[in-house]
């Protein structure tokens, strides 16, 4: 699936007023349109999977990601989608998400480190949120320092809201540490207690299923 977005630039240059010879600054406003493509990865044999899998493993600590066999299990689920994003044929990032009857859970989002601050994360999230009329849910680490605060601001600018439920991460591995707290964000508004309870059950019984 191809989707397009625009980036607005304001370029400044010095010019000279011909009537009095006094230099002044002139601004030129440019809008550059670029198209990205989302490609669904259905098996580990896909040509983009190796590159995607490396970025996935480099971007998330072990407690926040699957190993290969559980990932194959997720790929077999009709509820799960793994998308690779390309820009002019160049791989830029990935998203893994689960679509349930009343909400979409974005489990993983990452962009190639060399391309960060280029607007790709925002464009990918806007594409995902704009392509569904369901509630969109994701998790982030609690704000404890500037990087975690910056991550929260990123999602808030996209319209996500914080839910103040006590939420611990379900385990990807049996030997993962227990009690790792996470913050639940949702778009376009907060979720109710019953909605949160349903989300938490789905995480435990479906998303984190390893066989």
């Amino acid at each position: 699936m191809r989707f397009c977005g625009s980036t607005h630039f304001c370029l400044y240059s010095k010019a000279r007023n011909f009537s009095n010879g006094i230099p002044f600054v002139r601004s030129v406003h440019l809008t550059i349109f670029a198209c990205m493509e989302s490609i669904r990865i259905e098996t580990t044999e896909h040509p983009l999977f190796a590159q995607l899998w490396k970025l996935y493993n480099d971007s998330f600590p072990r407690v926040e990601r699957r190993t290969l066999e559980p990932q194959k299990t997720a790929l077999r689920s009709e509820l799960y989608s793994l998308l690779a994003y390309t820009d002019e044929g160049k791989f830029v990032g990935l998203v893994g998400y689960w679509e349930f009857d009343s909400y979409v859970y974005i489990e993983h989002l990452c962009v190639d480190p060399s391309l960060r601050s280029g607007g790709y994360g925002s464009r990918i999230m806007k594409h995902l949120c704009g392509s569904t009329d369901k509630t969109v849910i994701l998790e982030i680490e609690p704000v404890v320092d500037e990087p975690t605060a910056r991550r929260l601001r990123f999602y808030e600018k996209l319209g996500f809201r914080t839910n103040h439920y006590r939420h611990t991460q379900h385990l990807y591995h049996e030997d993962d540490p227990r009690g790792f707290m996470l913050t639940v964000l949702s778009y376009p508004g907060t979720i109710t207690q019953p909605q949160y309870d349903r989300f938490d059950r789905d995480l435990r019984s479906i998303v984190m299923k390893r066989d």
Side-chain angles (χ1 to χ4, degrees):
M1 177 185 294
R2 290 180 64 83
F3 62 99
C4 299
S6 62
T7 303
H8 186 77
F9 293 89
C10 185
L11 305 180
Y12 295 91
S13 62
K14 281 190 174 181
R16 187 171 293 277
N17 189 321
F18 289 103
S19 63
N20 55 25
I22 299 174
F24 66 96
V25 175
R26 176 174 57 196
S27 64
V28 180
H29 295 266
L30 300 174
T31 300
I32 297 177
F33 291 88
C35 291
M36 293 175 63
E37 184 174 8
S38 62
I39 303 167
R40 183 163 184 174
I41 309 299
E42 297 182 326
T43 74
T44 57
E45 304 304 315
H46 192 282
L48 282 174
F49 183 80
Q51 195 173 1
L52 178 152
W53 192 242
K54 183 181 186 308
L55 176 62
Y56 174 81
N57 281 278
D58 290 347
S59 300
F60 298 100
R62 182 177 181 273
V63 296
E64 296 179 13
R65 57 176 165 83
R66 295 183 180 85
T67 53
L68 186 58
E69 289 307 313
Q71 182 62 39
K72 290 179 179 179
T73 298
L75 287 168
R76 289 193 291 268
S77 173
E78 62 182 12
L79 301 174
Y80 180 74
S81 294
L82 180 62
L83 303 181
Y85 285 84
T86 62
D87 186 1
E88 302 299 327
K90 181 178 181 178
F91 173 69
V92 299
L94 69 92
V95 167
Y97 70 90
W98 299 77
E99 184 166 4
F100 296 93
D101 55 357
S102 61
Y103 72 93
V104 173
Y105 167 52
I106 299 179
E107 185 180 16
H108 293 104
L109 163 69
C110 54
V111 172
D112 186 315
S114 67
L115 301 173
R116 287 174 188 165
S117 301
Y120 286 110
S122 296
R123 288 163 62 188
I124 291 170
M125 288 300 300
K126 288 176 181 177
H127 171 244
L128 284 173
C129 293
S131 63
T132 181
D133 57 1
K134 298 177 181 180
T135 298
V136 180
I137 300 175
L138 56 83
E139 302 156 302
I140 63 171
E141 296 176 25
V143 174
V144 295
D145 53 21
E146 179 52 31
T148 51
R150 186 166 57 246
R151 190 172 299 116
L152 176 60
R153 290 196 297 269
F154 168 79
Y155 287 112
E156 287 179 334
K157 287 179 181 178
L158 293 169
F160 281 82
R161 298 292 178 262
T162 299
N163 296 274
H164 298 285
Y165 301 111
R166 183 175 175 80
H167 181 71
T168 57
Q169 178 172 298
H170 294 278
L171 305 183
Y172 283 99
H173 316 281
E174 288 296 336
D175 59 346
D176 284 346
R178 265 66 172 172
F180 184 64
M181 301 301 299
L182 292 172
T183 298
V184 176
L185 303 182
S186 56
Y187 172 93
T190 56
I191 57 176
T192 64
Q193 182 72 56
Q195 288 175 312
Y196 168 76
D197 293 340
R198 161 76 189 280
F199 166 61
D200 195 54
R201 286 195 303 270
D202 289 341
L203 282 180
R204 181 174 57 255
S205 63
I206 299 174
V207 174
M208 297 300 183
K209 185 178 180 181
R210 292 190 287 271
D211 50 27

